[in-house]
Amino acid sequence: MTIEAPPTAHQSPSERTFHGDTVTDEFAWLMNKEDPATIAYLEAENAWTESATAHLDDLRKKVFQEIRSRTQETDLSVPTRKGAHWYYTRTVEGKQYGIHCRVPVRPGETDPPMDAEKPGEEVLLDGNELAEGKEFFALGTFDVSPDGNWLAYSTDFAGDERFTLKIKNLRTGEVLADEISDAFYGSAWSADGSVLFYITVDEAWRPHRVWRHVVGETTDTIIYEEPDERFWVGVDLTRSEKFIVIDAQSKITSEVRVIPADRPEAEPALIAERVQGVEYSLEHHGHRFLILHNRDAEDFALACTSVDNPGEWIELIPHEPGTRLESVDAFARHVVVSLRRDGLTGLRVMTDGSTDRYDMPFPEPIYSVGLAGNPEYDTSSVRISYTSLVTPESVFDVDLVTRAMTLRKQKPVLGGYDPADYEQFREWATAPDGTRVPISIVARKGTQRNGDNPAVIYGYGSYEHSIDPYFSIARLSLLDRGVVFAIAHVRGGGELGRGWYEHGKMLAKKNTFTDFVACAEALVRARWTSASRLVARGGSAGGLLMGAVANLAPEAFAGIVAEVPFVDPLTSILDPSLPLTVTEWEEWGNPLESPEVYAYMKSYSPYENVAKLRYPQILAVTSLNDTRVLYHEPTKWIARLRAVAPDGTYLLKTEMGAGHGGPSGRYDSWKEEAFVLSWILDVVKAV
């Protein structure tokens, strides 16, 4: 059915006043999810989007088929050893979800069994069976006990990340009557598998309580509750299986407690009291706890303290400005530190009891690398994952003694993919304040810099989260049509260390936006593309970036894709009853208390600053059940864009049964990606 015009949201002015400033929000009524008028409006927007993109139906189907035909649908992850079993996940052609399995380790077997047939295979959990009859399905926790006899797993069938936790007896296949609602991600087993520690959330979706559950019993005990609303709690079992670790973290402060895993009834012991602005994490290693921290160390340092009497932190790796230590993993005879330097990730190996240490070498100038799994403590090899803009995800086992790297598997790309057909580049943009901002670029080999290529530029820039170079099968549908793909590594992310993050948050947040515009302009200046053929894309906090640059430099882009976009940040951060708000004050500032923060956020909020501009084409994608960025933010944004700048082309697509990550099944996700890619190809005229 063809629809002639987009829906018009009626205006019902609602006022809010803070710090003497009164703001009128004519679309605040859309925040009421229970109002039938809200649902009707979302459905009308979906109908309009479907009608407005109907001409792309054949292209969508073609792109979807390209993604599917390049993907090995029946596949197997590289099995990971844990105790007496190899654990892995299988996918089967035609099925949406993974199947989690294990097989016994055969006598003398050291290499992971990669053959398709696996005698003695045991299916631990089949996502397809769990998801049957459901519109949405996600696993939160998947945790096998140290003795291999129990599986704790949690499920979400709405997309709101409120999980139901269950326990399965792996000896009998029975799912116990034990069932826990409103559980969060994460769990930890006691050493003997008789006790499970788990987390629940408060009304604002903040994980705030750690519970102790004795398998088979009905009454659980709260062992830690975090009263400070800025802090989230987590729980985990150390790789050594010696300690349960309970951590409380705000955006800038940490506090860690431990419980001996063989004494699960013990009270949590504090490692170091929280100090505002000091972050630290803990890893058990023999007689010591390894402490990764930023005390007098902006880019973090590594220290240790005694297991028996935690106290003084003894330096192991001193602070080195420009080398950001991100995490530490301990093994019986080695320690591996994950780091980043010069905008690239890296791995440093330290041998226990020796000054011998080295950084693993990698062949490409632009890449991403990190540890992958590694549940075994007593081992001399580690598994890593390596990828780049042209290299599919590759799994290596690295011998920490000989330094030999063995490729176990590279993600198959069917249809004759050859990395040599593509090239990756590093460009630099200069921000208005003179800061040099890196850009990672990939294009079909031989692409001419003639100023006329279609292009996509992706950005995020918040929470110190780095968008490192990565391979994408779906992206090939762009590259093979001549589209250049770029990642703008803007401030607010962590690509160039903690300072890179600090200069893109709070009262420096606008650097994120001006960096991105500078990157877009640099692509044009270097003749990779032109503004008339450039689409910007970002999601979540990257969606805030998209909304901000739409107001800041609408002429710089032909189109903007904003996925689950945080485009009404001031309204949300002013409401402490909403999920995440209080914990976010250390990222954005607290506009309730600070007039300066209020004015600053209002000056860049995409929703607050919609004006009668000539906006690029905009596609906003959201989910009704998203608890991280609520659906009404992009909904109100699109409504106001239509009201204030009616000459523009704006589309809103709402998943009515999904959460922050969009559709859950792989085929549904591919269809969603094909929808977005076909829209991009249409905008940049690369169909």
Side-chain angles (χ1 to χ4, degrees):
M1 180 178 70
T2 301
I3 301 175
E4 298 300 326
T8 300
H10 74 264
Q11 300 189 23
S12 179
S14 174
E15 291 187 348
R16 71 158 195 251
T17 301
F18 290 92
H19 307 297
D21 179 53
T22 298
V23 172
T24 300
D25 187 348
E26 66 276 25
F27 299 112
W29 65 271
L30 286 165
M31 297 172 69
N32 185 358
K33 187 178 179 180
E34 306 306 318
D35 186 349
T38 298
I39 300 302
Y41 176 74
L42 294 174
E43 290 173 342
E45 285 282 9
N46 280 348
W48 166 246
T49 297
E50 184 177 349
S51 176
T53 60
H55 65 290
L56 298 174
D57 186 57
D58 287 344
L59 179 59
R60 279 199 297 268
K61 292 176 180 175
K62 187 174 182 179
V63 171
F64 171 80
Q65 191 54 43
E66 288 170 3
I67 297 171
R68 184 170 185 176
S69 65
R70 288 180 173 127
T71 302
Q72 187 164 300
E73 296 180 62
T74 297
D75 204 0
L76 178 78
S77 67
V78 179
T80 297
R81 182 167 183 171
K82 175 61 176 167
H85 292 89
W86 295 101
Y87 291 83
Y88 55 94
T89 301
R90 290 194 288 109
T91 56
V92 177
E93 183 175 355
K95 293 185 180 293
Q96 293 265 32
Y97 301 99
I99 303 169
H100 304 273
C101 309
R102 71 181 181 185
V103 292
V105 177
R106 292 175 285 200
E109 190 172 45
T110 57
D111 292 343
M114 297 301 298
D115 45 304
E117 295 297 323
K118 295 204 168 19
E121 179 181 86
E122 178 184 354
V123 175
L124 306 182
L125 213 60
D126 186 337
N128 303 287
E129 292 181 1
L130 291 171
E132 190 171 355
K134 305 290 195 303
E135 289 187 20
F136 182 92
F137 165 71
L139 271 180
T141 290
F142 184 91
D143 188 4
V144 178
S145 61
D147 59 12
N149 291 334
W150 304 98
L151 169 66
Y153 69 97
S154 62
T155 54
D156 167 21
F157 296 113
D160 58 5
E161 297 181 89
R162 266 67 169 177
F163 294 94
T164 299
L165 181 64
K166 297 184 179 183
I167 297 173
K168 183 177 182 180
N169 185 332
L170 297 181
R171 292 163 294 187
T172 66
E174 174 193 10
V175 176
L176 305 188
D178 310 43
E179 187 172 301
I180 297 147
S181 301
D182 291 329
F184 194 65
Y185 301 96
S187 63
W189 287 100
S190 63
D192 64 359
S194 65
V195 174
L196 178 70
F197 296 86
Y198 65 91
I199 302 166
T200 57
V201 298
D202 63 13
E203 291 182 355
W205 192 79
R206 178 179 69 99
H208 71 131
R209 286 177 177 165
V210 180
W211 298 75
R212 181 173 56 230
H213 172 78
V214 178
V215 176
E217 294 190 4
T218 57
T219 302
D220 295 351
T221 304
I222 299 172
I223 62 165
Y224 181 76
E225 181 169 359
E226 176 54 58
D228 191 329
E229 293 181 87
R230 298 173 302 158
F231 284 75
W232 284 25
V233 298
V235 67
D236 200 6
L237 176 65
T238 59
R239 180 179 285 107
S240 66
E241 298 179 351
K242 298 296 185 182
F243 292 93
I244 308 294
V245 178
I246 298 171
D247 62 276
Q249 297 185 5
S250 76
K251 300 293 184 193
I252 61 173
T253 306
S254 308
E255 188 173 73
V256 177
R257 290 169 171 80
V258 297
I259 298 173
D262 60 356
R263 291 191 290 114
E265 73 288 347
E267 288 296 312
L270 180 64
I271 297 300
E273 290 186 358
R274 67 186 66 175
V275 175
Q276 181 71 6
V278 175
E279 300 168 59
Y280 74 96
S281 59
L282 175 147
E283 176 84 338
H284 174 237
H285 190 223
H287 64 283
R288 62 188 182 176
F289 288 128
L290 301 177
I291 307 288
L292 192 70
H293 68 92
N294 70 338
R295 189 173 68 186
D296 301 320
E298 182 182 55
D299 280 325
F300 286 69
L302 182 65
C304 68
T305 191
S306 168
V307 165
D308 296 328
N309 187 25
E312 180 187 3
W313 291 1
I314 301 169
E315 183 179 271
L316 295 176
I317 299 180
H319 177 236
E320 181 184 341
T323 298
R324 171 69 162 96
L325 307 185
E326 296 200 315
S327 63
V328 58
D329 287 82
F331 303 91
R333 292 166 295 279
H334 297 86
V335 172
V336 180
V337 178
S338 299
L339 55 83
R340 63 174 59 248
R341 183 173 51 232
D342 299 327
L344 293 174
T345 51
L347 295 170
R348 179 172 298 170
V349 179
M350 304 167 60
T351 302
D352 192 26
S354 167
T355 58
D356 181 35
R357 60 186 64 180
Y358 67 94
D359 289 357
M360 292 186 191
F362 300 101
E364 296 177 274
I366 304 174
Y367 61 86
S368 301
V369 67
L371 292 183
N374 298 292
E376 289 277 75
Y377 181 69
D378 190 5
T379 180
S380 294
S381 69
V382 296
R383 181 161 295 167
I384 68 171
S385 176
Y386 175 92
T387 186
S388 76
L389 291 168
V390 300
T391 302
E393 183 178 346
S394 306
V395 175
F396 290 88
D397 282 343
V398 181
D399 188 308
L400 297 176
V401 177
T402 67
R403 307 187 186 185
M405 296 177 63
T406 302
L407 178 64
R408 296 301 185 190
K409 183 173 184 176
Q410 187 173 88
K411 184 179 179 67
V413 184
L414 307 182
Y417 172 76
D418 185 349
D421 292 338
Y422 306 86
E423 294 179 291
Q424 53 184 350
F425 305 88
R426 173 59 58 89
E427 296 272 7
W428 293 84
T430 302
D433 65 358
T435 300
R436 296 181 75 236
V437 183
I439 312 169
S440 297
I441 301 171
V442 63
R444 187 85 186 178
K445 191 170 186 178
T447 297
Q448 299 297 309
R449 301 194 198 187
N450 57 13
D452 194 40
N453 299 307
V456 174
I457 181 169
Y458 186 89
Y460 187 76
S462 291
Y463 305 110
E464 203 179 0
H465 177 68
S466 302
I467 305 298
D468 294 310
Y470 65 98
F471 182 82
S472 166
I473 284 179
R475 187 192 300 140
L476 296 176
S477 292
L478 296 178
L479 301 180
D480 288 351
R481 289 175 172 83
V483 178
V484 175
F485 179 83
I487 302 171
H489 302 290
V490 295
R491 280 175 285 183
E495 285 88 341
L496 293 175
R498 174 51 66 92
W500 199 248
Y501 168 52
E502 294 288 350
H503 289 95
K505 64 180 290 194
M506 304 285 278
L507 296 176
K509 188 63 206 169
K510 289 182 184 178
N511 286 335
T512 304
F513 316 140
T514 52
D515 283 2
F516 190 83
V517 173
C519 288
E521 292 173 343
L523 291 180
V524 172
R525 194 162 43 250
R527 297 184 60 76
W528 280 110
T529 188
S530 63
S532 63
R533 302 197 75 184
L534 177 62
V535 167
R537 185 177 184 181
S540 196
L544 164 64
L545 171 60
M546 295 300 101
V549 300
N551 291 327
L552 182 65
E555 73 287 346
F557 309 98
I560 290 177
V561 179
E563 295 167 289
V564 290
F566 187 41
V567 283
D568 191 15
L570 183 55
T571 301
S572 293
I573 299 300
L574 283 167
D575 186 353
S577 70
L578 290 178
L580 307 180
T581 289
V582 175
T583 61
E584 296 286 288
W585 286 342
E586 291 178 338
E587 176 77 19
W588 312 99
N590 183 350
L592 276 174
E593 298 293 333
S594 170
E596 183 183 17
V597 169
Y598 176 90
Y600 188 77
M601 290 191 71
K602 186 180 179 184
S603 72
Y604 69 69
S605 166
Y607 184 63
E608 306 276 353
N609 291 282
V610 169
K612 193 172 178 56
L613 302 172
R614 187 174 179 179
Y615 285 99
Q617 295 186 57
I618 293 176
L619 170 63
V621 180
T622 188
S623 295
L624 183 63
N625 296 329
D626 192 345
T627 53
R628 295 176 181 260
V629 178
L630 301 185
Y631 75 92
H632 56 72
E633 295 204 23
T635 303
K636 289 168 54 185
W637 181 51
I638 292 296
R640 181 171 278 183
L641 281 165
R642 287 222 188 92
V644 176
D647 293 337
T649 300
Y650 319 109
L651 298 178
L652 174 68
K653 185 175 187 292
T654 303
E655 289 293 331
M656 303 302 284
H660 194 63
S664 57
R666 58 173 176 163
Y667 296 105
D668 292 338
S669 296
W670 295 347
K671 287 177 182 176
E672 182 82 356
E673 182 67 5
F675 176 89
V676 172
L677 294 185
S678 65
W679 184 87
I680 290 172
L681 289 167
D682 188 45
V683 170
V684 300
K685 301 178 178 61
V687 177

